[in-house]
Amino acid sequence: MKKKTRTKFVRYLGKQMKEDYTALQIYSRDMADLPNLTKLLFNNTPDGIILPRNVEDIQRVYNLANETKTPVIPRSGGTTGFGGSIPYNKGLVIDCKGLDGELLIEPIDQTVTTSPSIIFSDLQKKLKLQGFSLCSYPSSFYSATVGGWISHGGHGIGSIKYGNVVDQIAEMQVVLPNGEIKSFSEKEDISLFFGSNGTLGIITEIKLKIKFDIPLKQFGCIFDSPVELMKGLKELQDVDPFSVWFLNPAQVSAFNDSFGYNLPRSYVAIVSKEISYEEEELTFSNNFNNSIRKAGGQILDKRYIMDIWDFRFKTFALLKEFPDFLVSEVILPIETSAKYLRKLAGLFEGSLRAEGELISNTHYSLLLYLPIEEPINDFKKSLLILKINKHVLKSKKVGGFPYSTGLWFAGYYPQIYGKEMYKRYKDFKKKVDPKNISNPGKVCSPKMRFFPLFKLKSIIRIASEFS
Amino acid sequence: MSSPNEWQVDILEAAQQCVYCGYCAVCPTFRELKWETYHPRGILDQIKMYYLETTKEELKSDISKSLFDSIFACTMCKACENICIADIPLLKIWEQVRQESFKKGRWNPALLSLYNKVKDTQNIFGLPKEERVSWAGLANMVMTKRTQRKAKVAYFVGCQASYSGKMEGVAASVIKILRKARVDFTILGNEEWCCGSPVFLAGGYSVGKTFAKHNLDQFKKLGVKRVVTACAGCYRAFKIVYPRILGDKWDLEVLHISEFVAELLEQKKLKYTKTIKEKITFKDPCELVRHCGLIEPPREIIEKIPGVRYEDLPSNREEALCCGGGGLLKLNDADLTRQVNSRLIEEIEYSEAEIVVNGCPTCLDTIQQGVKKKGLDVEVIDIAELVRRAIGG
């Protein structure tokens, strides 16, 4: 960063800006630690970190960034492994956790107005005190922020019943990259920000729809094959579940090892249902059993269900014994993905673990973990990242797509959200961020750092093919 | 005797177990300061950078500056370790980094001053040893016969209850309870030395060790088998730190006053005679609940009070909020303590409690200040003081 540019930011931000080596290193990663070799593709160490205190700070930062053509990278919980909140090529990371705001629960409208930096578990706790609950939330419930989930393109627990995060936003306020503060309440507008990775500005206030806090009851089942599992996912939609979460055979084995279980190496699903009274539970239980039988599955012994469900937000703990691991996530159609799922189970000598969550009547998300058993060098780790990416991209053949764009899948926006949406996104981006200062390198594929003739997307795709 | 090396962890190896889930965002000081350098996972990152052999020496100064700054912004409340899905022994790691800071001579002046005071006078206030039992005079109690007598039960008063005017009711209440239940007990008097908790928390083990040995010798000399304390800091030191540094020699049973009262009530040696009508809540001290797993005894003894209206705070038991005063933060950064404390005060206000009961002098003082600042009409008392009222003492 040029001296003059730096001075401008420091003069305004003072202690709200950090530039020391240690802080820069910490902010150069998210959940996934990038191998040094990837420096050839990205320069993920920022020039500085900014902790804005309020909307005015963000406006000012955007104005200065436009003036000096400085990339601004919004960051919140930093809980995904997609790289959406780490720089593509230096710039200033804006840590949105600095944004505090009043929490306002409107019991009649059933909405809550909150700062985007609130962590889901904190928000849920506050809602529960008033008898309300979030409609859906991510599996990184204890660390992800509401704003971060919108920018990442969040589907999660409860999405099958209440939809993705866009369906739950009643209104939101955004500071656009041109410094304008704007409120959005139309779904069409809000959906522009879904999965935008902060490229369209920084969300500064959100009004979320909430629901009454109805107790959840869990039920479990086992399917021998992906075909049966897919049948089960279809059948289970008729019982109006709150969540359908499943584990692939490798993940079931990890549970077996960790809990001393002897579950068959197959697909285990835990279904959650909002149940208010005893008769409802009985009716649901009958319907559930019928659905599972129809799909060819078996009912899971009750003693396992609560143990597994209680581990719902802790499955990363199953990776603690490994020196390293890789993560990715893909969205797949129920109808056509059974074969793909079977293939995944055989990859990396059967060690690729997966957890799925039904997110709509047609699709489910699949979180992939690859534990790395022995420490490996940077080159090998880079190859493995590319290899996982290759398999995520291969899901296209069965109608699947990456969960989000982030750093690795920049350029895949049309595949994820559709071409029409992409056109709308590009038009809006051009209007509000003509200099492309808000999180450049994300969503739309950037040009290569050292070979600007090529786009990063093509390079990653080719490298993945040969990995 | 076990050496610190035996119970210390391989700090780098432990830090490398972090799966970066970020759940430790629950950290009360990170929530106020917001920078990821204060996030426990960010501190682990700094530890990796600091301890990795491949890190260039010239960078280590920058890293250590940030690391030691972050580590002393910690209240040692253990919320991070409590939620850690990878079961990383975070508290041990934070303690070891504080020791490293001590070895490198990187303590701030306030810490050094406390350390020197404790070292020279064996109490955290730097007051004369001879005044350790002056609380008794203020409470119109004569402790001469109880001091340094042979007994199986010893009441360890602690520095705060001994010297602080704000805590003068605590020691007197414990004495009333013990007398009412006709417990044969002793106190160490002027020979009671600080439990060492503040120096352990600061990372200065050598002095703390001397204190531990001294206190053990005193207990042994008087034939003590059970040590009762109303201070969560002393309780943690006796329960967790003393066994580490004294090994098998530390074979005494340690009881928080709430545990001891629960036992006395059970044995019918103590009986509640007074009704308490005010709505009561209990703030679980971090050192009792997360460090030592003491959860139910305080609730049991409160709920037995005739006519009691008791309600937990919204964040309770293992998920209790930190008061902000622990880990010597009050000394290092009083403003940050106030910020952290304000979250707890919000919960107290929400609870509509008229009495906030506690079992830790640090919490008590911090909450009292927070309640006063917010202008709440809430009484903040120690659990021993509440019991004293219920027994009509």
Side-chain angles (χ1 to χ4, degrees):
Chain A
M1 185 187 273
K2 283 182 191 160
K3 239 182 180 179
K4 264 188 182 175
T5 307
R6 182 187 165 269
T7 311
K8 281 185 181 176
F9 281 100
V10 173
R11 190 177 290 155
Y12 177 69
L13 293 153
K15 281 188 173 174
Q16 296 305 113
M17 181 161 155
K18 277 195 181 208
E19 302 164 282
D20 59 286
Y21 170 83
T22 315
L24 299 183
Q25 293 308 308
I26 289 174
Y27 281 88
S28 67
R29 64 168 292 182
D30 58 6
M31 189 175 212
D33 196 6
L34 294 179
N36 281 329
L37 205 64
T38 53
K39 295 260 183 215
L40 290 170
L41 301 174
F42 327 114
N43 193 344
N44 53 308
T45 309
D47 293 308
I49 304 92
I50 293 167
L51 196 71
R53 293 153 291 199
N54 48 40
V55 174
E56 289 72 34
D57 276 357
I58 295 176
Q59 261 186 311
R60 181 76 174 152
V61 168
Y62 267 138
N63 288 338
L64 287 173
N66 272 305
E67 208 181 301
T68 55
K69 286 193 185 164
T70 307
V72 164
I73 303 99
R75 177 187 177 103
S76 207
T79 57
T80 81
F82 279 80
S85 59
I86 58 177
Y88 163 67
N89 189 13
K90 296 186 174 183
L92 295 170
V93 170
I94 293 202
D95 189 339
C96 300
K97 289 191 289 293
L99 289 172
D100 263 340
E102 292 294 311
L103 188 100
L104 183 70
I105 298 171
E106 304 260 19
I108 297 171
D109 296 350
Q110 295 209 0
T111 59
V112 60
T113 305
T114 175
S115 146
S117 66
I118 195 163
I119 291 174
F120 277 94
S121 57
D122 289 350
L123 181 56
Q124 181 76 322
K125 194 167 153 190
K126 287 180 173 159
L127 291 175
K128 280 189 174 249
L129 286 174
Q130 309 289 334
F132 293 101
S133 167
L134 288 160
C135 296
S136 71
Y137 37 85
S139 55
S140 46
F141 180 67
Y142 289 102
S143 51
T145 66
V146 177
W149 205 42
I150 297 169
S151 297
H152 183 56
H155 308 274
I157 302 160
S159 283
I160 178 64
K161 187 163 174 75
Y162 295 99
N164 62 31
V165 69
V166 173
D167 298 310
Q168 290 153 52
I169 302 171
E171 201 178 332
M172 65 183 200
Q173 187 194 61
V174 184
V175 177
L176 300 171
N178 58 16
E180 191 187 343
I181 301 174
K182 217 169 168 184
S183 285
F184 298 93
S185 54
E186 296 298 324
K187 194 171 174 182
E188 207 179 53
D189 297 329
I190 291 169
S191 57
L192 276 170
F193 293 88
F194 183 67
S196 66
N197 283 264
T199 53
L200 300 179
I202 293 176
I203 303 164
T204 48
E205 193 178 83
I206 301 161
K207 189 191 261 190
L208 278 180
K209 293 173 194 164
I210 52 176
K211 64 180 187 77
F212 286 120
D213 184 21
I214 306 166
L216 291 175
K217 287 268 163 96
Q218 279 72 40
F219 302 80
C221 49
I222 303 176
F223 299 100
D224 287 338
S225 68
V227 176
E228 281 180 3
L229 172 70
M230 294 305 130
K231 272 188 202 166
L233 293 184
K234 274 191 256 175
E235 288 292 337
L236 283 168
Q237 288 170 24
D238 296 338
V239 298
D240 189 28
F242 173 76
S243 153
V244 179
W245 172 55
F246 65 87
L247 315 171
N248 83 336
Q251 188 69 333
V252 172
S253 290
F255 268 85
N256 279 342
D257 293 344
S258 196
F259 287 89
Y261 290 166
N262 202 13
L263 289 167
R265 212 181 137 91
S266 48
Y267 293 86
V268 168
I270 305 288
V271 178
S272 284
K273 168 79 181 165
E274 291 176 335
I275 287 178
S276 310
Y277 49 92
E278 227 170 272
E279 290 83 355
E280 197 182 4
E281 185 174 350
L282 208 67
T283 315
F284 178 79
S285 191
N286 287 335
N287 294 341
F288 174 77
N289 292 351
N290 288 338
S291 298
I292 300 307
R293 274 188 211 112
K294 251 197 234 172
Q298 303 156 53
I299 305 299
L300 180 66
D301 195 310
K302 272 202 170 153
R303 68 196 148 122
Y304 300 117
I305 297 172
M306 280 326 289
D307 274 358
I308 299 177
W309 178 254
D310 283 347
F311 221 62
R312 179 70 183 93
F313 299 118
K314 301 176 193 164
T315 46
F316 270 95
L318 299 172
L319 295 164
K320 69 179 176 189
E321 306 301 334
F322 299 95
D324 209 346
F325 61 88
L326 302 175
V327 196
S328 198
E329 199 161 5
V330 60
I331 291 180
L332 294 161
I334 301 171
E335 202 64 55
T336 50
S337 61
K339 236 182 185 175
Y340 176 82
L341 203 60
R342 185 183 298 131
K343 213 169 177 189
L344 276 187
L347 293 173
F348 303 99
E349 294 166 355
S351 63
L352 189 65
R353 301 174 181 186
E355 281 175 29
E357 176 77 41
L358 192 59
I359 57 168
S360 71
N361 290 336
T362 52
H363 287 79
Y364 63 95
S365 65
L366 196 69
L367 181 60
L368 306 168
Y369 313 91
L370 181 67
I372 301 175
E373 289 188 20
E374 297 292 332
I376 52 170
N377 61 30
D378 256 18
F379 181 70
K380 280 188 178 168
K381 188 173 172 181
S382 306
L383 279 182
L384 277 178
I385 292 174
L386 291 169
K387 209 167 180 180
I388 286 208
N389 286 352
K390 178 175 83 177
H391 291 293
V392 168
L393 293 174
K394 270 191 173 174
S395 68
K396 190 183 177 185
K397 286 183 185 165
V398 295
F401 43 84
Y403 185 104
S404 187
T405 56
L407 196 59
W408 290 106
F409 299 108
Y412 287 90
Y413 188 98
Q415 196 179 321
I416 302 173
Y417 303 102
K419 281 181 183 161
E420 199 187 316
M421 191 68 204
Y422 185 50
K423 193 181 171 302
R424 280 186 54 224
Y425 168 85
K426 277 213 302 192
D427 289 346
F428 191 75
K429 174 80 176 169
K430 216 172 171 183
K431 207 167 98 188
V432 299
D433 190 13
K435 289 182 184 167
N436 192 23
I437 50 126
S438 199
N439 215 357
K442 315 293 163 54
V443 179
C444 299
S445 184
K447 285 179 179 159
M448 279 282 289
R449 280 178 66 213
F450 298 121
F451 313 102
L453 282 176
F454 297 100
K455 282 202 165 183
L456 185 68
K457 179 186 172 185
S458 324
I459 299 298
I460 292 181
R461 201 187 59 226
I462 293 165
S464 299
E465 277 305 318
F466 288 100
S467 64
Chain B
M1 192 187 300
S2 66
S3 76
N5 294 339
E6 285 174 34
W7 47 263
Q8 285 194 334
V9 292
D10 180 332
I11 201 163
L12 185 59
E13 197 184 294
Q16 281 167 336
Q17 283 175 356
C18 176
V19 292
Y20 230 73
C21 64
Y23 285 11
C24 44
V26 70
C27 167
T29 51
F30 164 67
R31 291 208 164 180
E32 301 306 320
L33 298 167
K34 324 271 189 182
W35 295 103
E36 292 229 0
T37 44
Y38 295 99
H39 193 309
R41 76 175 179 187
I43 301 178
L44 290 177
D45 259 354
Q46 292 170 70
I47 288 172
K48 282 184 243 172
M49 287 189 247
Y50 181 75
Y51 285 93
L52 264 177
E53 281 173 10
T54 49
T55 306
K56 289 177 189 160
E57 278 305 313
E58 59 264 33
L59 293 174
K60 285 203 174 174
S61 146
D62 182 282
I63 299 164
S64 65
K65 188 171 174 280
S66 173
L67 174 62
F68 296 152
D69 173 47
S70 306
I71 214 71
F72 283 106
C74 167
T75 64
M76 296 292 209
C77 72
K78 214 183 172 189
C80 53
E81 190 175 316
N82 198 43
I83 201 164
C84 178
I85 59 172
D87 296 327
I88 302 172
L90 292 167
L91 248 285
K92 280 187 184 170
I93 297 177
W94 307 154
E95 280 176 4
Q96 279 174 236
V97 176
R98 285 182 171 209
Q99 285 166 38
E100 173 74 6
S101 151
F102 177 65
K103 279 185 217 157
K104 299 275 176 194
R106 300 281 288 275
W107 274 3
N108 68 27
L111 262 182
L112 258 180
S113 152
L114 172 82
Y115 180 76
N116 288 330
K117 264 189 227 168
V118 179
K119 200 167 82 172
D120 297 341
T121 62
Q122 293 87 44
N123 70 76
I124 56 171
F125 297 96
L127 291 168
K129 247 164 73 164
E130 300 71 39
E131 285 180 27
R132 206 170 242 283
V133 199
S134 54
W135 57 266
L138 293 169
N140 294 323
M141 284 177 168
V142 182
M143 295 303 295
T144 335
K145 283 186 184 169
R146 292 281 176 187
T147 307
Q148 288 282 323
R149 64 179 276 181
K150 289 215 172 224
K152 285 192 176 159
V153 176
Y155 166 43
F156 192 88
V157 187
C159 298
Q160 303 219 49
S162 297
Y163 289 102
S164 168
K166 292 177 193 166
M167 307 292 152
E168 64 182 28
V170 179
S173 300
V174 174
I175 299 296
K176 286 271 180 195
I177 295 166
L178 298 178
R179 283 185 173 161
K180 190 101 179 174
R182 297 182 185 279
V183 177
D184 181 23
F185 72 97
T186 182
I187 61 167
L188 302 184
N190 295 346
E191 284 307 320
E192 181 184 300
W193 283 14
C194 171
C195 66
S197 184
V199 282
F200 294 133
L201 286 172
Y205 265 80
S206 48
V207 169
K209 220 162 146 183
T210 323
F211 289 7
K213 278 185 202 163
H214 171 85
N215 286 327
L216 175 67
D217 288 346
Q218 290 296 316
F219 290 134
K220 290 283 179 193
K221 188 179 86 184
L222 302 174
V224 171
K225 298 281 179 210
R226 311 180 90 192
V227 181
V228 177
T229 180
C231 172
C234 300
Y235 183 76
R236 178 189 177 267
F238 294 152
K239 277 270 187 188
I240 294 175
V241 191
Y242 277 32
R244 278 184 195 167
I245 53 180
L246 297 171
D248 294 341
K249 285 185 183 170
W250 180 257
D251 56 355
L252 306 180
E253 188 187 356
V254 183
L255 297 152
H256 185 256
I257 186 67
S258 58
E259 289 175 290
F260 198 52
V261 168
E263 185 184 300
L264 295 173
L265 289 169
E266 183 73 30
Q267 293 167 350
K268 304 207 186 313
K269 288 182 180 166
L270 203 63
K271 207 180 158 192
Y272 290 141
T273 54
K274 302 280 179 205
T275 305
I276 295 178
K277 287 179 182 163
E278 289 90 345
K279 187 178 177 188
I280 298 173
T281 192
F282 180 72
K283 147 72 179 110
D284 291 276
C286 305
E287 285 179 316
L288 290 188
V289 70
R290 282 190 285 266
H291 288 243
C292 301
L294 186 84
I295 299 171
E296 294 308 327
R299 290 175 171 79
E300 277 171 25
I301 65 172
I302 295 172
E303 282 170 353
K304 281 183 180 164
I305 295 172
V308 78
R309 284 188 296 136
Y310 175 78
E311 198 177 302
D312 273 327
L313 286 171
S315 304
N316 57 67
R317 296 175 165 83
E318 290 96 337
E319 288 174 11
L321 296 184
C322 173
C323 74
L328 304 178
L329 184 66
K330 218 187 248 184
L331 194 72
N332 288 315
D333 191 341
D335 286 341
L336 184 54
T337 292
R338 276 190 284 276
Q339 267 176 270
V340 173
N341 186 245
S342 66
R343 310 270 171 170
L344 173 63
I345 302 302
E346 276 173 29
E347 285 211 350
I348 290 172
E349 191 177 14
Y350 172 86
S351 75
E352 295 179 342
E354 292 154 284
I355 300 179
V356 180
V357 180
N358 200 259
C360 166
T362 307
C363 292
L364 197 72
D365 184 33
T366 321
I367 299 170
Q368 273 172 349
Q369 287 177 25
V371 162
K372 197 174 162 191
K373 194 178 166 218
K374 183 107 189 189
L376 300 183
D377 186 17
V378 181
E379 197 184 2
V380 188
I381 58 171
D382 189 83
I383 196 151
E385 291 173 283
L386 182 80
V387 172
R388 180 186 179 176
R389 286 183 197 179
I391 59 173

